[in-house]
Amino acid sequence: GNLANGVTSSSWWHQATRYKGVGVWPTTEDFYKEFVAQQKSDPDYVHASCAATVVVLQDAIERAGSTDKKKVRDALAKTDVSTFYGPIKFSANGMNLARDLPIIQVQDRQIKVLAPSDIKNGEMSLFK
């Protein structure tokens, strides 16, 4: 309700983001719609990150042209893609490189994305 207006947070992912990329869900909206249709609830960042893992693995297998473990591992190490979850690129230690986390704010009962700039759909608002 209105008491949530102004609540601001960072998140690993939120369905209000508008990422585009490779895979079976080319946009955040595509993933969100299919998830809600199947699960009858909103996905959170855990659901999205697990689904994005499968997208990245499929992409790596396709680039490797094989399911051979070493070839897939090498392809994963070279991953640099955008997905419905956001950008995915692995560092030398195998972790996804730091990325700009979405900053979200409740405004008039809607979630607005304030940052990063390439997916933002709102400006910071101060509520009294």
Side-chain angles (χ1 to χ4, degrees), residues 12-13 17-21 28 52 56 81-89 96 99-100 102 119:
W12 287 106
W13 178 87
T17 59
R18 294 293 177 247
Y19 291 113
K20 295 179 182 178
T28 303
V56 170
V81 298
S82 182
T83 69
F84 76 91
Y85 182 76
I88 307 290
K89 182 177 182 176
N96 193 22
R99 64 185 179 111
D100 293 332
I119 61 166

Side-chain angles (χ1 to χ4, degrees), residues 29-75:
E29 184 178 17
D30 293 327
F31 173 77
Y32 177 76
K33 284 180 179 178
E34 185 169 331
F35 188 94
V36 170
Q38 290 184 14
Q39 301 300 316
K40 309 297 186 234
S41 65
D42 284 341
D44 65 21
Y45 78 92
V46 175
H47 300 112
S49 64
C50 290
T53 299
V54 177
V55 168
V56 170
L57 181 58
Q58 178 183 352
D59 175 72
I61 290 170
E62 289 173 357
R63 286 185 291 109
S66 170
T67 57
D68 175 79
K69 290 181 208 177
K70 183 177 180 334
K71 290 180 180 178
V72 173
R73 168 64 181 98
D74 290 346

Side-chain angles (χ1 to χ4, degrees), residues 85-98:
Y85 182 76
I88 307 290
K89 182 177 182 176
F90 299 111
S91 66
N93 70 1
M95 299 295 292
N96 193 22
L97 289 173

